[in-house]
Amino acid sequence: MAAEAKKALRYDLADARLYSLIGEIELRRGDKERAYQLFDQAQKLSKTEIHSLQRSIDRSIETGDLAKAVDEIDILLRRWPDRFPLVASGFPTILANPSGYRAVLKAIGADAPWRGYLFSTLVADPLGIGLANRLLLDMAGSSTPPTDRELSSVIAGFIRQRQYGSAYRLFLFSLTDEQRKLGGYVYNSTFEPYPSGKPFDWQVPSQVAVEVTFSTSHDAVEGEGGATVRFLNAPVKNDVIHEYLQLPPGAYRLSLLASGRNLKLPKGLFWSLRCIDPAGEVGRLNIPEGTYNRKSFNVDFTVNPDACPIQLLRLEAATIADSWRFRYVGSIVMHKISIERVSS
């Protein structure tokens, strides 16, 4: 094979792939110095020749030239974005080094197209998620701040790894001055439009049987602002809308102000508050059928000390099977849902 490749060079001295091929052969023969001379020649002819570029990245990491490694990774992934898995394992080593960290921060600050892949990779590793969190904090004041998707990825990663305090702190850090006005035990309790989709903000799972819209009182009919849930004459399974909470131990009251329009809820509809770790329901607020206007509902519950570090508040139906006998009809406008401390 080496002989054939060298013969081919006589006809095309500018083909970077031939130098790369011969370099790989020499590397496998054990002549590392000659191999990297050939890889370097391939790179001079074509910076995006994929095989020599990958070998050069490996060598840069091996020799500690991490700034160069990041530049080469950036070239590789801008040209070959599907090759991220080939270099993913090198990022913890790169980010653990100050010069490597600065190089990565500079690249993602220049809006590198692979930054989303980077965060997805880091959050899957108990050590990597701390690096991901640090990158987000350092990006906050840059011209390319973290996106809601990147923040959501890291917050969700903290939750999966049971680092609930870190997850909630990152969520609070991510809020703008305007968003902080929506704070409370339930974030955005009046369902202002444009939820970010972060775990401690409202999330609306895709479901064909339900349509959910958010509006302020300025956007809607007077007094009708909030989250409108319209049922599309079909069975409803699982949750309609949910949000993670972090309530300290204590006694609380969950309150809902809502308006119903011709509601038919064959298997029931309710707000539930569940502990996530360990799993278990601590409170449930049932929603009645029929038509009513701005009616108040509430239920008291208790969060026990050291037994419920994170909670999930969600609107859900009790339907288990997709039986068309249990079709949900009508709509409900939830103007406000709130949690407040009460005397135990």
Side-chain angles (χ1 to χ4, degrees):
M1 187 182 293
E4 291 298 318
K6 290 175 182 177
K7 188 186 298 182
L9 275 179
R10 300 174 191 170
Y11 302 97
D12 194 351
L13 287 171
D15 192 331
R17 295 170 299 177
L18 292 173
Y19 291 97
S20 183
L21 174 59
I22 299 169
E24 183 64 23
I25 293 169
E26 294 297 338
L27 187 65
R28 297 189 185 195
R29 282 175 166 172
D31 192 345
K32 194 172 183 179
E33 182 178 351
R34 175 59 179 158
Y36 279 106
Q37 288 175 353
L38 290 160
F39 291 142
D40 288 343
Q41 181 61 28
Q43 287 288 285
K44 289 176 183 177
L45 293 169
S46 174
K47 288 188 175 183
T48 59
E49 198 290 307
I50 188 166
H51 187 78
S52 59
L53 185 54
Q54 288 175 203
R55 286 300 189 187
S56 185
I57 291 169
D58 293 340
R59 181 175 55 171
S60 296
I61 294 175
E62 182 182 327
T63 59
D65 192 350
L66 301 181
K68 181 182 178 184
V70 173
D71 287 341
E72 292 169 332
I73 288 172
D74 190 51
I75 293 170
L76 174 71
L77 297 179
R78 286 179 185 273
R79 176 64 180 85
W80 310 94
D82 61 323
R83 300 303 175 101
F84 188 88
L86 296 177
V87 296
S89 62
F91 275 107
T93 299
I94 293 171
L95 288 166
N97 179 281
S99 65
Y101 181 88
R102 289 192 296 270
V104 172
L105 186 62
K106 179 181 176 182
I108 60 179
D111 211 18
W114 44 270
R115 59 188 264 180
Y117 293 111
L118 173 63
F119 285 110
S120 297
T121 298
L122 292 175
V123 299
D125 182 273
L127 298 177
I129 195 167
L131 294 167
N133 184 61
R134 182 184 168 194
L135 283 170
L136 291 179
L137 299 180
D138 287 340
M139 289 166 61
S142 72
S143 58
T144 54
T147 65
D148 282 344
R149 185 172 182 178
E150 290 164 350
L151 289 160
S152 296
S153 175
V154 178
I155 293 170
F158 275 130
I159 292 173
R160 285 193 300 272
Q161 296 183 28
R162 298 183 177 182
Q163 298 184 45
Y164 306 122
S166 296
Y168 192 57
R169 284 192 294 272
L170 179 57
F171 170 71
L172 294 177
F173 171 83
S174 73
L175 300 177
T176 64
D177 291 340
E178 195 66 27
Q179 289 171 332
R180 288 191 180 92
K181 297 176 183 177
L182 303 176
Y185 285 132
V186 177
Y187 178 75
N188 190 10
S189 62
T190 55
F191 305 98
E192 296 298 313
Y194 315 115
S196 65
K198 298 170 192 171
F200 293 95
D201 192 358
W202 294 116
Q203 298 183 74
V204 182
S206 177
Q207 194 170 160
V208 296
V210 180
E211 180 183 84
V212 180
T213 56
F214 288 27
S215 63
T216 65
S217 58
H218 302 293
D219 300 326
V221 177
E222 183 64 30
E224 291 293 303
T228 299
V229 179
R230 188 163 68 93
F231 297 103
L232 306 178
N233 195 29
V236 175
K237 281 186 66 177
N238 301 322
D239 63 308
V240 177
I241 180 175
H242 65 256
E243 175 182 306
Y244 282 94
L245 310 177
Q246 193 170 54
L247 302 173
Y252 297 90
R253 177 168 295 141
L254 173 64
S255 301
L256 173 69
L257 179 65
S259 299
R261 300 290 182 267
N262 303 312
L263 278 173
K264 293 182 180 180
L265 312 170
K267 297 295 287 184
L269 184 71
F270 54 91
W271 280 97
S272 71
L273 186 74
R274 300 177 181 274
C275 288
I276 301 303
D277 182 20
E281 188 175 84
V282 296
R284 177 180 292 199
L285 182 60
N286 291 306
I287 294 174
E289 295 186 318
T291 297
Y292 41 88
N293 188 50
R294 300 185 72 81
K295 191 171 181 178
S296 296
F297 311 92
N298 62 74
V299 65
D300 291 350
F301 64 92
T302 300
V303 175
N304 294 320
D306 304 320
C308 191
I310 188 170
Q311 306 85 32
L312 183 66
L313 177 65
R314 67 181 188 178
L315 179 66
E316 59 182 306
T319 309
I320 298 175
D322 288 326
S323 172
W324 283 90
R325 291 182 300 160
F326 307 127
R327 288 179 288 181
Y328 282 60
V329 178
S331 64
I332 181 171
V333 181
M334 293 171 293
H335 307 289
K336 184 176 182 179
I337 185 167
S338 60
I339 291 176
E340 60 182 2
R341 277 190 179 271
V342 296
S343 300
S344 56

